[in-house]
Amino acid sequence: MRIRPSKEEIDEEVLDTAAGLLARRGVKGTSIQAVADATGYSKAGILNRFTSKDALIERAVQQCGRQTRTALHTVSDLPCGPARDAAALVTLTELALRRPGYITLVSAFMTPLEEPHLQRGLELLGEDFCRMFCLPGPRQGDLERWCRVIGALGALCTLAVATPDHAPVTVPLQAQPHILATAWSALGHGMALGDAQTAAAT
């Protein structure tokens, strides 16, 4: 018997869907109806939870910001290097497979938005993502390192959201090591992911 999702789980799902739409369509293209169509919930039901489109989008950005800060916290005690990169990728991959809208919005953190408060939310999200990989900030630091980190993020995002909606629930779990390996390769450390993970655990 399927367990009915809690109110919090439904809210997270709706906000994650809104985040993904925001990344792909911008604010104007992220309508309540579009979110309703994507989630299968009614427009009235979503408005009952979030009162307005603006409130929904703002909450979606805030949720992604909290998720990024939580991910950053998991690696903050590790020194910069392969072990920290490995731990960051594992955390982000697990999150991306649960919340594809999250990783889609993270990958678009430099997308310009007309709304200053939302733009600042995206900028903060991007800054925290950069800290995970010991970059000083968006478009800052060593150029090769910046390109490799963004390349890893792009690979992670593309692969995490590529699973068809009708695929068995086991597919994302089966794909996880391949997604990790692809994103890890982009970072160019010249060592196995498993070795870096071992170093992170010691």
Side-chain angles (χ1 to χ4, degrees):
M1 184 176 70
R2 185 182 178 188
I3 299 175
R4 185 175 180 180
S6 66
K7 178 184 182 300
E8 291 75 19
E9 289 171 333
I10 293 173
D11 285 353
E12 286 182 8
E13 178 189 356
V14 170
L15 291 171
D16 190 69
T17 299
L21 290 172
L22 177 63
R24 296 191 300 273
R25 302 182 183 181
V27 174
K28 291 181 180 179
T30 307
S31 65
I32 295 290
Q33 187 61 59
V35 175
D37 292 342
T39 58
Y41 300 116
S42 69
K43 180 178 179 180
I46 292 175
L47 282 171
N48 186 53
R49 291 173 178 275
F50 299 101
T51 70
S52 70
K53 169 182 166 176
D54 289 344
L56 172 63
I57 292 177
E58 185 167 1
R59 287 274 303 278
V61 173
Q62 290 172 350
Q63 175 171 277
C64 288
R66 286 194 302 272
Q67 290 166 327
T68 305
R69 288 192 296 275
T70 299
L72 172 60
H73 180 72
T74 66
V75 301
S76 59
D77 291 337
L78 294 172
C80 297
R84 179 173 173 133
D85 283 359
L89 278 184
V90 168
T91 298
L92 288 172
T93 301
E94 291 172 350
L95 180 54
L97 289 172
R98 289 196 322 270
R99 298 295 178 205
Y102 162 79
I103 201 65
T104 305
L105 189 61
V106 171
S107 69
F109 68 81
M110 290 186 292
T111 301
L113 296 175
E114 295 179 1
E115 292 75 7
H117 65 292
L118 294 178
Q119 182 66 43
R120 184 54 186 154
L122 280 187
E123 290 171 356
L124 290 172
L125 189 158
E127 290 168 8
D128 284 339
F129 168 79
C130 289
R131 289 189 188 100
M132 292 183 72
F133 292 91
C134 295
L135 288 168
R139 296 193 181 93
Q140 297 178 24
D142 178 76
L143 179 59
E144 180 184 357
R145 171 67 175 166
W146 166 253
C147 290
R148 287 188 176 279
V149 169
I150 297 304
L153 173 61
L156 171 56
C157 176
T158 300
L159 293 170
V161 302
T163 303
D165 292 338
H166 61 275
V169 294
T170 56
V171 168
L173 294 177
Q174 294 168 352
Q176 184 169 338
H178 304 296
I179 294 172
L180 273 169
T182 302
W184 176 253
S185 178
L187 291 174
H189 284 301
M191 64 186 298
L193 174 62
D195 292 340
Q197 288 176 291
T198 300
T202 58

